[in-house]
Amino acid sequence: MPPLLERVRALAPGVRLKVTRVDSATEQALTTGDADLATGYAPWLGGVIATQPLFEQDWVCLASPRHPRVRERLGRRRYVAEGHVAITAGTGATLLHRALTTQGIERRIVLELPGFLGLGAIIGSTDLLATLPRHIGTTLAHGNDLALWPRPLPVERFEVAQYWHPRFDNEPGSRWLRELVMGSFRVRIPRGGRPDLGENWLSTTTRTGSS
């Protein structure tokens, strides 16, 4: 959100953004215009909903830089032996679960969280690991002084996209918002990463004046 919010405030200070989760009601919200745009990984938004790819995500692991057993590398055996924090929200979590199941890996889950809030502080103060998409992982690592490790097992990459209803293709406000999002985030992220959108978020705008 920070890069997008910065651009919106600079270009159209009268615009208000409202951000909520992408869920089963998203398609209806886009169809009626209650939501202008959805972004994230939402493959179920098919049918008449228009889609524009923004960037790809792969997966990384987070650990405390003071982790007593993860110092020089994080291998598969060590990954399986350690305790983990599992993030249960987000459609990307399904890809991770599928990859682990396919490879016969069962993590030792110590803590389940519904989202990423508080995850950085938890990883930094414990010996637990977290596996998550690279962009949010990079953001949390930089913001909480955490160690960022390559995932020690293959997990399917996924594509973050923006979604809208075609009936708003030529609506000026909708086009402006889509172009702004595309300009901010339609890049191939290097492995160093950049700030994350989050796996799933839905934005609605209240426009005051022209944008």
Side-chain angles (χ1 to χ4, degrees), residues 86 107 116 152 201:
R107 292 179 296 172
F116 300 110
W201 57 268

Side-chain angles (χ1 to χ4, degrees), residues 59 61 76 79-80 96 99-100 103 105 131 150-155:
W59 296 80
C61 294
R76 182 187 179 105
Y79 179 88
V80 173
L96 176 61
L100 294 171
Q103 298 170 65
I105 295 175
T131 308
R151 69 194 186 285
L153 62 151
V155 182

Side-chain angles (χ1 to χ4, degrees), residues 21 40-41 57-62 85-94 96 107 111-124 129-141 143-144 146 148 158 160 195-201:
R21 293 199 62 81
Y41 174 66
Q57 290 248 49
D58 64 345
W59 296 80
V60 295
C61 294
L62 286 182
V85 178
I87 306 299
T88 58
T91 51
T94 303
L96 176 61
R107 292 179 296 172
L111 174 65
E112 289 189 0
L113 294 176
F116 300 110
L117 185 64
L119 178 61
I122 292 169
I123 295 298
L129 305 179
T131 308
L132 62 171
R134 176 175 296 275
H135 302 162
I136 185 63
T138 301
T139 300
L140 290 174
N144 296 272
L146 302 177
L148 191 69
F158 62 94
V160 173
D196 177 64
L197 284 174
E199 254 184 276
N200 296 299
W201 57 268

Side-chain angles (χ1 to χ4, degrees), residues 1 16-20 34 37 201-206:
M1 281 302 295
R16 182 181 67 183
L17 296 179
K18 180 181 178 182
V19 181
T20 60
D34 289 339
L37 193 67
W201 57 268
L202 170 69
S203 80
T204 65
T205 61
T206 300

Side-chain angles (χ1 to χ4, degrees), residues 30-44:
L30 293 172
T31 301
T32 61
D34 289 339
D36 293 306
L37 193 67
T39 73
Y41 174 66
W44 70 87

Side-chain angles (χ1 to χ4, degrees), residues 3-206:
L4 180 61
L5 183 59
E6 180 181 11
R7 296 190 70 183
V8 168
R9 295 189 69 188
L11 297 173
V15 166
R16 182 181 67 183
L17 296 179
K18 180 181 178 182
V19 181
T20 60
R21 293 199 62 81
V22 172
D23 55 26
S24 59
T26 297
E27 186 167 347
Q28 179 65 18
L30 293 172
T31 301
T32 61
D34 289 339
D36 293 306
L37 193 67
T39 73
Y41 174 66
W44 70 87
L45 290 177
V48 299
I49 299 300
T51 304
Q52 183 177 42
L54 296 173
F55 56 85
E56 287 188 339
Q57 290 248 49
D58 64 345
W59 296 80
V60 295
C61 294
L62 286 182
S64 167
R66 297 168 295 280
H67 196 291
R69 294 172 298 280
V70 181
R71 296 297 183 90
E72 297 183 357
R73 64 183 297 270
L74 176 61
R76 182 187 179 105
R77 184 176 300 178
R78 175 54 55 196
Y79 179 88
V80 173
E82 295 296 327
H84 293 257
V85 178
I87 306 299
T88 58
T91 51
T94 303
L95 298 178
L96 176 61
H97 177 73
R98 183 190 306 161
L100 294 171
T101 300
T102 300
Q103 298 170 65
I105 295 175
E106 184 174 355
R107 292 179 296 172
R108 181 166 59 87
I109 304 299
V110 176
L111 174 65
E112 289 189 0
L113 294 176
F116 300 110
L117 185 64
L119 178 61
I122 292 169
I123 295 298
S125 60
T126 67
D127 62 352
L128 301 177
L129 305 179
T131 308
L132 62 171
R134 176 175 296 275
H135 302 162
I136 185 63
T138 301
T139 300
L140 290 174
H142 290 170
N144 296 272
D145 191 28
L146 302 177
L148 191 69
W149 296 94
R151 69 194 186 285
L153 62 151
V155 182
E156 182 181 351
R157 298 170 67 96
F158 62 94
E159 192 170 65
V160 173
Q162 59 177 345
Y163 307 85
W164 69 96
H165 196 281
R167 65 192 286 246
F168 299 108
D169 274 346
N170 297 314
E171 198 275 321
S174 177
R175 290 185 61 184
W176 175 82
L177 182 61
R178 297 196 311 266
E179 291 170 0
L180 200 65
V181 169
M182 184 179 68
S184 298
F185 302 110
R186 193 184 185 185
V187 292
R188 292 299 176 185
I189 308 297
R191 290 202 174 271
R194 68 172 288 175
D196 177 64
L197 284 174
E199 254 184 276
N200 296 299
W201 57 268
L202 170 69
S203 80
T204 65
T205 61
T206 300

